[in-house]
Amino acid sequence: MNRFARLATRVLSVPLGLVWLEPAGEAAGALPECWPAETQPSPDVLECCQRVAESGRPQFRARAESGASAFAFAGVPLIGGSGEVLGVLAVMDPSPRVWSEDDVQDLSDLAAACSAQMRMRKALRERASGPGGRRGRRVCGRRGNAPHAEAAEPCRTAPAGVGGPRRHQRPGRCAPACRGPGQRGPQARPHRPGAAAAGQAPPRPQPRRR
């Protein structure tokens, strides 16, 4: 998340930016992500972030006094999907300054983008840790697994018809010639005397003798 802190420092021209995480949330115990990296914010800045999280509203203070020192502070809360506060995107200037309307808008836009990123990460963690997080294994349809019942039976070959090749048919759909005894099938047509053979012309009738 320090990239949002880096963008905030560049856009608002401040020396320090940080993403403060809510200690009571899921990131309990996590350290603030600051820019420049490995920078330790002062306890006064962390206290200002805590106040923003408690109020749930942005704060742009031109002069935040802490003892003998004074600094400018701006912080916007990071909101989760259920309206909870996930943290604060904040910037600090060691010299007091008045924040302009552009500063307020720019930091608010960066906080909205940071909130969306945190919500997406939270949803991915919940999905991965849930009961359906692990991808189930498919039993059928892959090589090496148990084949389907229909594919387990051998394919039967139906006899070739007149002038046609031999065809493979699925079980239960065989031709009448390969059906077993007791199974019904289409009856063969009786042979009629004088009927023309397949592929031959019928004989011509002869005239009667008087």
Side-chain angles (χ1 to χ4, degrees):
M1 291 298 171
N2 59 351
R3 61 175 178 174
F4 292 100
R6 176 178 58 84
L7 291 174
T9 56
R10 291 190 177 183
V11 173
L12 277 71
S13 300
V14 292
L16 176 64
L18 72 152
V19 176
W20 180 86
L21 303 177
E22 175 62 44
E26 295 185 357
L31 297 176
E33 299 187 16
C34 304
W35 188 265
E38 301 180 359
T39 301
Q40 297 295 333
S42 63
D44 299 333
V45 176
L46 298 180
E47 184 179 355
C48 292
C49 294
Q50 182 68 34
R51 293 177 182 176
V52 173
E54 292 176 355
S55 63
R57 298 180 179 180
Q59 293 186 10
F60 292 84
R61 305 176 63 179
R63 183 182 179 87
E65 297 183 0
S66 177
S69 62
F71 57 92
F73 173 83
V76 179
L78 305 175
I79 307 301
S82 302
E84 73 279 12
V85 177
L86 302 177
V88 176
L89 176 62
V91 292
M92 187 273 293
D93 197 329
S95 301
R97 60 177 287 182
V98 177
W99 303 102
S100 63
E101 295 183 0
D102 293 338
D103 296 336
V104 175
Q105 186 65 39
D106 292 339
L107 189 61
S108 300
D109 293 342
L110 289 175
C114 186
S115 300
Q117 183 73 16
M118 296 183 68
R119 288 194 298 266
M120 184 180 64
R121 289 187 178 183
K122 181 179 179 181
L124 292 177
R125 288 195 302 267
E126 293 177 353
R127 185 180 304 177
S129 60
R134 295 184 178 180
R135 188 176 182 181
R137 297 181 180 179
R138 298 179 58 186
V139 177
C140 299
R142 293 185 178 181
R143 296 182 179 179
N145 296 333
H148 296 281
E150 181 178 352
E153 299 182 7
C155 182
R156 302 177 183 178
T157 305
V162 178
R166 300 173 67 88
R167 297 179 300 172
H168 294 277
Q169 298 187 4
R170 297 180 179 178
R173 298 183 180 180
C174 292
C178 68
R179 293 180 180 176
Q183 297 182 357
R184 295 183 179 181
Q187 299 180 358
R189 297 180 180 179
H191 178 71
R192 293 181 298 174
Q200 298 181 2
R204 297 180 180 180
Q206 299 181 0
R208 298 179 180 180
R209 296 180 181 181
R210 293 182 180 179

